Amino acid sequence: MEVIKKIKNELKKAIIGQEKMVDALLIGLITEGHILIEGVPGVAKTTAVKTLGKVLNLDFKRIQFTPDLIPSDILGGEIYIIEKDEFRVKKGPIFTNLLLADEINRAPAKVQSALLEAMQERQVTIGEDTFPLDEPFLVMATLNPIEEEGVYNLPEAQLDRFLMKVVIDYPDEKEEYDILKLVVSKEGISNDRQEPPPEPQQVATKEEIINLKSALKEVHVDKEVEEYMVNLTMATRTPEKYGIPKEYIRLGLSPRATINLYKVSKAVALINGKDYVSPSDIISYIKDVFRHRFLVSFHAEAEGITTDNIIDMIVEKVPMP
C-alpha cells in the first residue's frame, strides 16, 4: 500500500539496513502486536522506534530496565497531595504510543510482569482506577543474550505476550560504510562538501495506521493455507508424526502461536502489496513467531540443537500446499 511505502522510505533516511526490524515494527503496529528484539548493541534499535514515532507523529517513550526498577516506575502511582489532603494519580511512561523497553531482561520478573496488563488488555490499573491506553500502542523490548551477566529469564507469560521475537545482527560491509557516511554528514565532520541528508518527515497519521487494520481484513487466506499454519504448530506438539524426534521438544506451542502466525502472515502480504497470503509469507516470519514460544529439551541442547534448528526441521517436514 502507498502509505506503507511512504513510511519505509522515510525510515530509510535514518536507518541503514535492518529491514527485518523495520518490517517487524510495521507488522506490530498493523496487527496490534508487540515485538521482542534480540541483538548486539548499536544496531539502530532505539533509532528505529524514535524515527517511526516521528514519521507517524506518535508519542515515544523509552524505559531503561535495571535491577532496581520497580513497577510504579513504569505504570505510575498514587501521590498524596498534602495541601488538598487527597491522593492523585501520576501516570507513568507506559502511557504513550511507542514504548521502548530497553534491555528488558535486566530487571527481575516482578518488574517485567508490570507490562502484562498493558500489553494484553491495553489498559493500566493504578490503585482502584483503570485507564485505557491510547491507540496505537506498541511495546518494542530489547533483549540481551541470556549468557551475559546480570540478566534474568523472561517469564513464559511475558514471552507469550510478544507477537514476534526478532534476532538481528551486525550490518554487512556496504551497510556499515553507508552508516558511516550518514552519521559523519549529519554531524558535519565529513570531508565532503555535500549537503547533509534530509531528515525523516511525518508522512502518515495515527488514524491511517489504525485504518490499516481494516485493510488487513481484506487480505484473503485459503483454507489450505490455514490448515498449513495449523500443521506447523501441531508439529511442535506431535513431532514424531513428521519424523522429528519427540525428545527434542520439551514444550510445544499453544493456540496463540497459530493465531499470531495467521496475523503476521496477513500483515506480511499487506506490506508486500498483495491481497492474499501465500506459504512464502508464512515461512518468511515463522521463526520470529515461533522461536520464543516453545522449549527445546536438555537432550537437544546437549546435541547443540537450537529452537531455530527445530523450526527448520518442521518447515522441511510439514508438506507445503
Side-chain angles (χ1 to χ4, degrees):
M1 295 182 70
E2 192 62 32
V3 65
I4 293 174
K5 289 180 182 178
K6 288 180 181 178
I7 293 169
K8 293 182 76 170
N9 287 337
E10 289 300 308
L11 290 173
K12 286 177 182 178
K13 293 179 181 178
I15 305 162
I16 306 296
Q18 304 300 1
E19 289 194 17
K20 185 108 178 182
M21 178 172 63
V22 169
D23 284 350
L25 288 174
L26 291 174
I27 290 168
L29 279 173
I30 295 169
T31 62
E32 296 185 308
H34 308 289
I35 310 299
L36 183 63
I37 294 184
E38 181 177 307
V40 293
V43 288
K45 298 186 291 290
T46 304
T47 302
V49 185
K50 286 180 70 174
T51 306
L52 186 64
K54 184 175 183 180
V55 168
L56 301 176
N57 194 27
L58 298 176
D59 290 332
F60 163 77
K61 288 190 176 73
R62 176 181 179 273
I63 302 174
Q64 180 64 52
F65 278 66
T66 55
D68 61 343
L69 207 66
I70 59 175
S72 60
D73 292 331
I74 301 169
L75 306 178
E78 293 182 317
I79 317 172
Y80 181 64
I81 309 298
I82 299 176
E83 295 81 4
K84 296 188 177 182
D85 189 28
E86 66 180 21
F87 285 93
R88 185 175 298 169
V89 171
K90 182 181 179 182
K91 294 181 178 180
I94 199 166
F95 289 90
T96 186
N97 296 122
L98 302 176
L99 178 69
L100 176 61
D102 210 5
E103 299 185 307
I104 190 172
N105 59 335
R106 286 207 179 277
K110 180 176 74 170
V111 179
Q112 296 172 18
S113 298
L115 293 171
L116 291 178
E117 181 186 14
M119 293 174 68
Q120 185 66 31
E121 307 296 333
R122 298 298 200 279
Q123 65 183 29
V124 174
T125 301
I126 302 174
E128 296 181 355
D129 298 315
T130 298
F131 302 91
L133 293 167
D134 193 17
E135 286 190 59
F137 174 68
L138 170 70
V139 175
M140 188 184 98
T142 65
L143 189 71
N144 287 302
I146 204 63
E147 293 80 9
E148 291 187 11
E149 291 185 22
V151 295
Y152 300 83
N153 281 309
L154 267 69
E156 292 301 319
Q158 180 77 30
L159 282 171
D160 207 34
R161 293 296 194 283
F162 286 101
L163 179 76
M164 294 189 290
K165 178 184 177 183
V166 181
V167 178
I168 58 176
D169 206 345
Y170 290 115
D172 60 30
E173 188 175 346
K174 182 184 182 305
E175 290 171 344
E176 186 87 14
Y177 180 76
D178 290 340
I179 291 168
L180 174 65
K181 298 297 288 182
L182 177 67
V183 172
V184 298
S185 62
K186 281 187 175 181
E187 295 183 356
I189 56 176
S190 172
N191 293 328
D192 297 334
R193 296 184 178 275
Q194 297 177 354
E195 289 292 321
E199 291 289 327
Q201 303 296 320
Q202 180 187 349
V203 293
T205 63
K206 64 170 67 177
E207 288 75 21
E208 287 178 295
I209 289 297
I210 293 170
N211 289 338
L212 284 175
K213 291 187 290 184
S214 300
L216 201 63
K217 296 177 184 178
E218 303 302 319
V219 178
H220 176 71
V221 187
D222 281 339
K223 182 182 178 182
E224 292 80 4
V225 176
E226 292 176 339
E227 290 172 348
Y228 179 54
M229 295 183 199
V230 171
N231 291 338
L232 289 168
T233 302
M234 294 303 296
T236 68
R237 302 180 205 167
T238 55
E240 68 280 3
K241 179 180 175 182
Y242 298 94
I244 300 168
K246 187 173 184 178
E247 61 269 21
Y248 283 170
I249 301 175
R250 183 151 47 112
L251 182 67
L253 296 174
S254 72
R256 185 175 281 169
T258 312
I259 294 167
N260 285 338
L261 186 61
Y262 181 87
K263 290 179 179 178
V264 169
S265 300
K266 291 189 77 171
V268 171
L270 185 67
I271 287 174
N272 291 330
K274 299 192 304 181
D275 60 358
Y276 65 93
V277 173
S278 63
S280 62
D281 298 321
I282 299 170
I283 298 306
S284 62
Y285 277 89
I286 187 172
K287 286 184 179 179
D288 306 286
V289 177
F290 278 11
R291 63 162 58 99
H292 58 297
R293 299 179 188 279
F294 73 92
L295 300 175
V296 298
S297 65
F298 296 117
H299 177 75
E301 288 178 355
E303 293 188 15
I305 295 172
T306 65
T307 306
D308 282 10
N309 295 146
I310 294 174
I311 296 171
D312 285 333
M313 295 180 197
I314 290 170
V315 171
E316 182 183 346
K317 299 289 186 178
V318 176
M320 185 181 293

